[in-house]
Amino acid sequence: MVTHLFQESWEMKEVYDELSQSYKSLYPSGRMERSIKGVERALVEMKGKISSLMEGRIKDENPAWRFYAVRYLGFTGDPGTIPIILEALKVEDDSLVGREMVRALSGIRSSEVTDTLLSLLKTHNLIDVRLEVVKAMGDFPRADVTEALLGILKDENPIFRMWAVISLTKLKDPLAIPGLLESLEDEGVRINAVRVPGERWETIGQVVS
């Protein structure tokens, strides 16, 4: 992904060129003698400059730039990016970009992210973003997350109900057992479950057994 960005942006090329010069400075005589600290300094500097550039691109009018920017920020796993991604997500009107923003947030395990996901579930105007939140909630074990997912089991949209079941099975919270048992009778959930690659319906049995 970063290589792709290098090819697409002169700004990124400048960062790459600067890193290359840093490497060359390590080998002034052409010998392959490494300065590990020098390499580390160059990489840290490069990462900082790319992150700074991506933080600006996350508000770019081009949705492709916003997508790749938030994907990079998600890869860093830096909790400091949470406010930046959240601010952009609040006004994001592209479903694909919005979903990627939720994925980036969900890759950072913190109570702040958990609170953010619960808020987005109630407030975001894009249905695809809210659905991505439901998918992500299975990685955030907390009582209020279980409660929110149990509420979604009563949603009129069967896709939401199906993903709520999948996330609840991941949480393995005993408080979810009554709701999961009821979901076994939900025809809409059963029909849509077979469309989800890699997800196994038997996981419900593992929770309720």
Side-chain angles (χ1 to χ4, degrees):
M1 186 277 295
V2 175
T3 301
H4 170 75
L5 289 175
F6 283 152
Q7 295 170 348
E8 295 294 326
S9 167
W10 282 107
E11 293 171 276
M12 298 295 278
K13 184 177 183 301
E14 289 173 1
V15 175
Y16 178 78
D17 288 343
E18 187 167 333
L19 180 64
S20 298
Q21 291 300 320
S22 297
Y23 272 101
K24 290 177 182 177
S25 69
L26 300 177
Y27 317 118
S29 62
R31 294 175 301 172
M32 293 301 291
E33 296 177 358
R34 297 193 176 191
S35 167
I36 299 301
K37 290 185 178 180
V39 172
E40 289 177 347
R41 283 197 302 270
L43 289 174
V44 168
E45 184 178 357
M46 179 186 182
K47 180 180 177 181
K49 290 189 176 182
I50 294 177
S51 294
S52 178
L53 174 61
M54 292 299 99
E55 289 172 10
R57 289 293 187 180
I58 202 172
K59 299 178 181 179
D60 197 277
E61 63 180 15
N62 186 335
W65 260 116
R66 299 199 303 273
F67 178 89
Y68 284 114
V70 74
R71 174 166 286 190
Y72 177 83
L73 293 175
F75 284 159
T76 67
D78 181 1
T81 64
I82 294 174
I84 298 167
I85 298 173
L86 181 56
E87 181 183 358
L89 182 53
K90 287 179 179 178
V91 296
E92 183 56 58
D93 58 0
D94 184 285
S95 292
L96 184 63
V97 178
R99 287 164 56 191
E100 191 63 28
M101 288 179 173
V102 173
R103 293 190 189 108
L105 286 171
S106 62
I108 305 170
R109 301 290 188 267
S110 74
S111 59
E112 183 181 1
V113 170
T114 308
D115 294 339
T116 295
L117 293 176
L118 288 168
S119 175
L120 289 171
L121 184 62
K122 298 176 182 179
T123 61
H124 206 279
N125 62 316
L126 292 178
I127 188 171
D128 287 341
V129 168
R130 297 198 303 276
L131 182 58
E132 199 64 38
V133 169
V134 175
K135 295 178 184 180
M137 281 180 157
D139 295 321
F140 293 86
R142 213 169 74 178
D144 49 354
V145 172
T146 297
E147 183 180 354
L149 289 171
L150 287 171
I152 295 169
L153 292 181
K154 298 179 174 61
D155 195 278
E156 61 182 17
N157 189 324
I159 303 295
F160 272 76
R161 299 200 303 273
M162 176 197 69
W163 277 107
V165 166
I166 292 172
S167 288
L168 284 168
T169 60
K170 290 180 179 179
L171 293 175
K172 298 186 182 300
D173 186 340
L175 294 176
I177 291 176
L180 289 172
L181 286 171
E182 289 183 17
S183 74
L184 292 172
E185 306 299 322
D186 188 331
E187 183 178 357
V189 171
R190 291 202 305 274
I191 290 173
N192 285 286
V194 299
R195 304 177 184 175
V196 185
E199 299 293 344
R200 303 182 64 185
W201 189 247
E202 303 92 278
T203 53
I204 297 179
Q206 296 171 11
V207 176
V208 300
S209 60

